[in-house]
Amino acid sequence: MSQTARLLVVVGLFWFAQYVYIPYTTPFLLAQKVSADFVGLVVGFYGAVPFFTRLPVGIFSDKIGKFKPMILLGCATAALASVVRLYAPTGEGFLVANIISGFSASMWMCFILLHTKTLNKDNLQRGMGYVMSACNAGILSGFIASATLYQQFGMMLMCALSVGAGFLALCIALTIHEKDEHRLHSPKISELLHVVVNKRLWFFAFIGMIQQGILMGTAMSFSNEVAHSLGAVPWQLGLITITFSASYVASCYISSTTLAIRIGPGILMTASQLCMALYCVLMVSIDNVYALIPVQILMGSTGGLVFSWCSAEALSQIESYRRSTALGIFQTVFAVGMTFVPIVAGLLFDMTGTLDWAFYFQALLAVVGMVATACYYVRRRHVRLREAQARAKVQQQARSRSSAS
């Protein structure tokens, strides 16, 4: 097995370990008589910890010029978190475990950067599509495992599977070789943080923030409530979730194909965000559970395109020795969307007593992202056209002078 294939397997196992227990964490804890507000704290810490640790992890990785040590740490802590869950299957135990899992998730950028470390700007999108496909394939596998095994074997098996996947990922990761970079000096922190002036990084972080926020506020949360209100039974909810995840994996892979790269991010990202807005409107307009399945495919098959392209475009102008810091900023920004968009959607749900305005709000966000993306690429095309015309004019003048002499 090639090194690239081994790394992609590690990515899949890592995210399987992080997600196999998630679908039933809330029901499990509530069944243990853990209060709803404490359950919210347990879930919230998983997202809150990476918000504070991603940038320091990124800076540290750039300082040492290596990503493998952080990958090993991520795999080990993913397994350790579920060891804690097995040892203390209580609210407090799951809180500690989710803090460890959140720290483990902070290492995710190092998996991406090791995979794309040797890729140039032209191949960056293809590599990003592959690693995102492996990530979401691992998540999908975790969802399938929990949907088929939890009812019979319970949470302890989910945690044991998580430990096993994390440990296996660690063992495979140990066999991966990372080439040493010959650098004259370790970059200063101020030099690494110079990426904050890169407008392109911030723009695509903003688009990623909208996409991830809508994802968490719909397919990963309130879309299940829509299905439940239409009378969906547990197996139908599982089917809807798996359908979304499978189409998301497919769209991440499609983003790496020659055809997608030839079409380019401008058209694909703009059209995909229009589809995301349409998804939000359709979710509160249909009245049949089975009609949700093609709508979930609509969201999954476009969301992966947006996020894969965002990640690649955000890093395309960043020097390799600062990419970890830049990705730390990128992932911190989109974590804001993952936190606050669902919160606002929930507040709108509470205020109105209906999910309509929660989804309309997210449709509006998708339209904002679509318009911003379209304007960005139209402007960039005009700039490139002017530059090409200027170069052609200079060349023509040079030829004229040459012929005159």
Side-chain angles (χ1 to χ4, degrees):
M1 186 185 296
S2 68
Q3 171 151 306
T4 298
R6 276 179 286 162
L7 180 57
L8 293 177
V9 169
V10 169
V11 169
L13 288 169
F14 173 77
W15 284 111
F16 178 93
Q18 292 280 64
Y19 268 79
V20 65
Y21 54 84
I22 280 183
Y24 293 97
T25 294
T26 297
F28 173 78
L29 292 177
L30 292 175
Q32 305 299 315
K33 306 302 180 183
V34 177
S35 64
D37 58 343
F38 194 86
V39 172
L41 188 65
V42 170
V43 174
F45 260 94
Y46 176 76
V49 172
F51 178 81
F52 293 103
T53 56
R54 276 177 176 143
L55 183 55
V57 167
I59 293 173
F60 179 74
S61 298
D62 278 336
K63 286 283 289 182
I64 66 174
K66 291 180 176 292
F67 303 116
K68 182 178 175 179
M70 312 307 286
I71 291 174
L72 297 177
L73 181 60
C75 295
T77 50
L80 175 62
S82 284
V83 170
V84 173
R85 293 182 183 96
L86 288 170
Y87 178 75
T90 62
E92 292 77 8
F94 269 68
L95 176 62
V96 173
N98 267 23
I99 292 172
I100 298 173
S101 290
F103 176 74
S104 178
S106 302
M107 310 299 156
W108 165 228
M109 70 182 75
C110 298
F111 292 77
I112 297 174
L113 292 166
L114 180 58
H115 179 67
T116 60
K117 189 174 184 178
T118 59
L119 300 181
N120 58 31
K121 179 180 177 181
D122 295 332
N123 294 325
L124 184 59
Q125 172 53 39
R126 194 183 303 278
M128 197 66 73
Y130 288 151
V131 75
M132 291 297 179
S133 297
C135 159
N136 287 283
I139 294 172
L140 173 61
S141 300
F143 284 159
I144 293 174
S146 61
T148 55
L149 298 174
Y150 182 82
Q151 294 296 329
Q152 185 173 359
F153 298 102
M155 179 58 75
M156 293 304 98
L157 178 62
M158 301 303 102
C159 295
L161 289 173
S162 175
V163 173
F167 181 72
L168 181 58
L170 176 63
C171 292
I172 298 175
L174 285 168
T175 69
I176 294 173
H177 175 67
E178 182 178 12
K179 293 182 180 178
D180 292 329
E181 290 186 349
H182 299 289
R183 298 193 296 184
L184 297 177
H185 66 281
S186 176
K188 297 179 180 179
I189 293 179
S190 59
E191 188 178 358
L192 296 175
L193 289 176
H194 187 67
V195 296
V196 300
V197 303
N198 188 299
K199 295 179 181 179
R200 185 189 184 97
L201 171 63
W202 286 105
F203 176 79
F204 285 104
F206 169 74
I207 299 298
M209 178 181 70
I210 291 176
Q211 187 270 344
Q212 288 289 288
I214 293 174
L215 177 66
M216 293 302 295
T218 57
M220 302 301 286
S221 57
F222 290 111
S223 292
N224 285 339
E225 181 60 28
V226 171
H228 186 265
S229 68
L230 295 176
V233 295
W235 72 266
Q236 290 173 320
L237 289 173
L239 177 61
I240 289 169
T241 300
I242 290 171
T243 298
F244 165 78
S245 299
S247 58
Y248 197 92
V249 172
S251 68
C252 288
Y253 176 76
I254 289 171
S255 72
S256 68
T257 61
T258 301
L259 178 60
I261 294 172
R262 187 178 302 160
I263 295 172
I267 294 174
L268 288 177
M269 288 179 63
T270 302
S272 295
Q273 289 174 96
L274 175 61
C275 291
M276 289 168 61
L278 180 61
Y279 166 88
C280 293
V281 174
L282 288 175
M283 280 300 294
V284 290
S285 302
I286 58 181
D287 56 2
N288 184 283
V289 171
Y290 292 102
L292 294 177
I293 293 177
V295 180
Q296 288 288 81
I297 294 174
L298 176 66
M299 179 62 165
S301 60
T302 56
L305 285 172
V306 174
F307 195 65
S308 294
W309 276 111
C310 271
S311 302
E313 289 283 86
L315 298 180
S316 62
Q317 292 184 346
I318 305 296
E319 301 88 343
S320 59
Y321 75 93
R322 289 199 285 217
R323 279 186 178 175
S324 187
T325 302
L327 194 56
I329 294 172
F330 176 82
Q331 294 192 347
T332 299
V333 171
F334 80 63
V336 174
M338 293 174 67
T339 302
F340 287 103
V341 172
I343 289 175
V344 174
L347 290 173
L348 289 171
F349 183 23
D350 287 338
M351 290 170 57
T352 63
T354 174
L355 282 167
D356 290 9
W357 285 106
F359 276 81
Y360 292 154
F361 159 70
Q362 293 178 90
L364 178 62
L365 285 180
V367 171
V368 169
M370 177 193 71
V371 172
T373 301
C375 291
Y376 177 88
Y377 282 103
V378 167
R379 181 178 179 277
R380 191 168 80 170
R381 183 176 180 181
H382 286 165
V383 169
R384 288 180 173 178
L385 182 60
R386 288 197 301 269
E387 290 174 347
Q389 290 173 342
R391 285 194 299 269
K393 185 176 180 180
V394 170
Q395 291 171 357
Q396 184 178 7
Q397 291 173 346
R399 287 194 296 267
S400 297
R401 287 194 297 267
S402 176
S403 60
S405 61

